[in-house]
Amino acid sequence: MTAWADALVALEQKIGHSFADRALLERAMTHSSVGDGAVKVRHNERLEFLGDRVLGLLATERLLALFPDSREGELSPRLANLVNGRACARVARLLGLGEIMRMSASAHRMGVRNNDGVLGDAVEALMAAIYVDGGLETARAFFLSAWDEEFSLLDSPRSKDAKTRLQEWAMGLKLAVPTYSVVGQVGPDHAPRFTVEVQVRGFEPERGEGASRREAEKAAALVMLLKQEGKT
């Protein structure tokens, strides 16, 4: 067995699921930079798209069970705390996904292996792979185990990133939730740079930049928060 194959076996043991279709796990742990565009490689972006939805479903389901009397406005910030990029990256680091992921040498040199956005996408891709291979019950068991610490952090200040704080601020003013849109992207596919604009009704839009859309959204939210705090 190769070192990567050994690492995947160890990951299966850690998550408590042995894949019937090992190709799914390999794909989940493959970054889009592999081949640097010269070779068609099945990477994890499509799995990440599915995993994001599965994660949202499982987190919402668990929150409804834990807080049966809470209103939507109380549940939404908690949901954001569980599924945001920073929380997903923390789970990915606990699982050691950064060390396992397959990526190009250039992406590795640029520090992509430790990028919050990349790690968050990887754990969502892993969630999707588990769901497709083992079904919803298996995905739920993985979620409850892997996100256990995140549930313990619910409502704590350290768990609230700028997007969550901005959403709570807007809700406190009885405004619609902030909206985010990508207004610029530069750089190669494996090392992009995004510019995102955030809008809250009645306030000037603000922009932020980051190595992923999520990072840029958080940066834009932080800019708006700091400007509004400076006015109080």
Side-chain angles (χ1 to χ4, degrees), residues 142-157:
F142 165 68
F143 167 73
L144 293 175
S145 173
W147 263 260
D148 180 64
E149 185 172 336
E150 295 306 312
F151 276 99
S152 73
L153 292 173
L154 277 180
D155 303 325
S156 75

Side-chain angles (χ1 to χ4, degrees), residues 45-84:
E45 286 184 357
R46 285 175 61 86
L47 282 175
E48 179 269 326
F49 179 79
L50 172 60
D52 178 64
R53 276 70 186 169
V54 176
L55 173 59
L57 169 65
L58 294 174
T60 301
E61 174 187 76
R62 185 59 177 161
L63 285 173
L64 289 173
L66 289 174
F67 304 99
D69 299 321
S70 292
R71 297 176 179 272
E72 180 183 355
E74 297 170 309
L75 293 171
S76 293
R78 292 185 174 111
L79 177 62
N81 286 346
L82 290 169
V83 303
N84 66 39

Side-chain angles (χ1 to χ4, degrees), residues 21-194:
D21 182 0
R22 174 56 66 83
L24 272 172
L25 179 58
E26 293 176 353
R27 184 176 168 192
M29 292 296 100
T30 299
H31 185 251
S32 60
S33 65
V34 173
D36 280 328
V39 180
K40 282 287 184 182
V41 175
R42 298 193 75 189
H43 52 71
N44 66 8
E45 286 184 357
R46 285 175 61 86
L47 282 175
E48 179 269 326
F49 179 79
L50 172 60
D52 178 64
R53 276 70 186 169
V54 176
L55 173 59
L57 169 65
L58 294 174
T60 301
E61 174 187 76
R62 185 59 177 161
L63 285 173
L64 289 173
L66 289 174
F67 304 99
D69 299 321
S70 292
R71 297 176 179 272
E72 180 183 355
E74 297 170 309
L75 293 171
S76 293
R78 292 185 174 111
L79 177 62
N81 286 346
L82 290 169
V83 303
N84 66 39
R86 188 168 59 178
C88 288
R90 284 197 296 263
V91 173
R93 288 190 174 95
L94 285 174
L95 294 170
L97 300 191
E99 292 75 21
I100 297 172
M101 284 191 69
R102 184 171 60 155
M103 63 181 59
S104 71
S106 59
H108 173 71
R109 287 194 298 271
M110 294 175 67
V112 172
R113 195 175 295 281
N114 197 42
N115 178 277
D116 274 6
V118 170
L119 289 171
D121 289 349
V123 83
E124 288 178 345
L126 178 60
M127 174 71 79
I130 294 170
Y131 168 73
V132 172
D133 193 74
L136 186 59
E137 286 300 321
T138 304
R140 183 182 290 113
F142 165 68
F143 167 73
L144 293 175
S145 173
W147 263 260
D148 180 64
E149 185 172 336
E150 295 306 312
F151 276 99
S152 73
L153 292 173
L154 277 180
D155 303 325
S156 75
R158 73 167 264 198
S159 69
K160 297 183 180 181
D161 63 15
K163 286 184 65 177
T164 301
R165 288 160 49 207
L166 183 63
Q167 179 175 319
E168 292 178 347
W169 170 78
M171 290 168 59
L173 295 176
K174 301 189 182 305
L175 300 173
V177 297
T179 59
Y180 299 84
S181 56
V182 177
V183 295
Q185 179 180 345
V186 296
D189 287 344
H190 65 272
R193 191 77 183 171
F194 293 86

